[in-house]
Amino acid sequence: MEQAHPKHSLTLWVILSMSILIVSGTNRPNSQSFQVAKICQKFLDQLGEKSRVHSLEEFCEDLANPDYYQSESWTNEMVNFQDHWIFPAVKFIFVIPEYNGGFPGALKLWLDVLSVRNREECFAFKKFALIGISEGKSSNIRGLDHFLAIARYFQMIAFPKTVHMPEVHKTLLHWNDANPMWSRLQKLTNDFSKF
């Protein structure tokens, strides 16, 4: 396996050590989750916070590979992703859509695969916030509850407030600073940056 130069790794770690990773919690292409994640990133940019957006569609095929349940079978791409995106992130914002009364299986698979190699370094005692979205009225309340239980199993620390976005397609269609959801997302990112 190719090894990164120690000095380069340390520099990268210092640059990204205060980063917030915003996870678009579905592997569906051009998703509304990804749109919401990018909005969160814009708000964090305005606060001077370093953040990155990760869409699960980037790894949708790789995640289904059963070899990934053995860390020694990981590709260099997966190792580099975990080393340079997951380990340095000190906080996460998960944008999670409702799928069949819960959250997407791709997100659970993502968590399962990443927990195979150095799980504690990935997730333990890192802070996270949740945004639930849905086409209907529920805003994925049940899915977020399920995800919260899994995150606690990983020893993550939950931000006490959650944003629920019902009828997300209508919200994004009329997205501007007069939209009530604008101020809710802005407040979430502002408060989470201080958490």
Side-chain angles (χ1 to χ4, degrees):
M1 185 186 312
E2 183 179 325
Q3 297 293 322
H5 190 280
K7 185 175 180 181
H8 179 263
S9 297
L10 180 60
T11 303
L12 188 62
W13 178 262
V14 170
I15 290 170
L16 297 177
S17 62
M18 294 306 293
S19 68
I20 298 173
L21 185 61
I22 308 163
V23 179
S24 171
T26 177
N27 60 350
R28 181 175 291 176
N30 305 313
S31 68
Q32 293 162 335
S33 301
F34 184 72
Q35 293 177 53
V36 173
K38 294 298 285 184
I39 290 167
C40 291
Q41 185 179 41
K42 286 181 183 176
F43 286 140
L44 290 168
D45 285 347
Q46 292 168 6
L47 296 169
E49 288 277 5
K50 293 186 179 76
S51 66
R52 304 173 91 176
V53 174
H54 171 59
S55 173
L56 299 192
E57 67 178 294
E58 297 170 33
F59 283 107
C60 61
E61 292 180 11
D62 292 338
L63 289 175
N65 183 347
D67 291 342
Y68 277 1
Y69 285 99
Q70 304 294 326
S71 60
E72 59 271 14
S73 300
W74 280 26
T75 62
N76 284 344
E77 182 186 17
M78 273 299 290
V79 170
N80 288 336
F81 170 72
Q82 192 180 48
D83 287 351
H84 298 158
W85 283 66
I86 304 298
F87 292 161
V90 294
K91 296 180 182 179
F92 295 86
I93 296 175
F94 293 97
V95 182
I96 306 178
E98 180 181 20
Y99 280 16
N100 300 316
F103 68 86
L107 179 55
K108 179 63 165 67
L109 189 58
W110 185 84
L111 291 167
D112 290 344
V113 167
L114 287 175
S115 70
V116 168
R117 176 179 176 261
N118 300 332
R119 180 174 72 190
E120 289 197 359
E121 194 173 348
C122 283
F123 302 117
F125 306 110
K126 293 187 178 184
K127 299 172 182 179
F128 71 99
L130 295 176
I131 299 169
I133 69 173
S134 68
E135 293 282 336
K137 303 284 188 184
S138 77
S139 310
N140 198 18
I141 292 172
R142 286 180 295 182
L144 294 190
D145 282 346
H146 185 200
F147 185 89
L148 184 60
I150 293 168
R152 285 178 172 158
Y153 178 82
F154 285 148
Q155 299 179 289
M156 298 183 78
I157 301 166
F159 182 63
K161 294 182 181 177
T162 301
V163 169
H164 299 280
M165 297 181 71
E167 299 183 321
V168 66
H169 56 296
K170 294 180 182 177
T171 298
L172 293 174
L173 189 62
H174 304 288
W175 187 253
N176 56 57
D177 58 6
N179 188 316
M181 200 55 66
W182 177 288
S183 58
R184 289 182 198 171
L185 274 183
Q186 189 175 49
K187 180 168 175 50
L188 176 83
T189 53
N190 183 61
D191 291 349
F192 187 60
S193 73
K194 301 171 185 174
F195 179 58

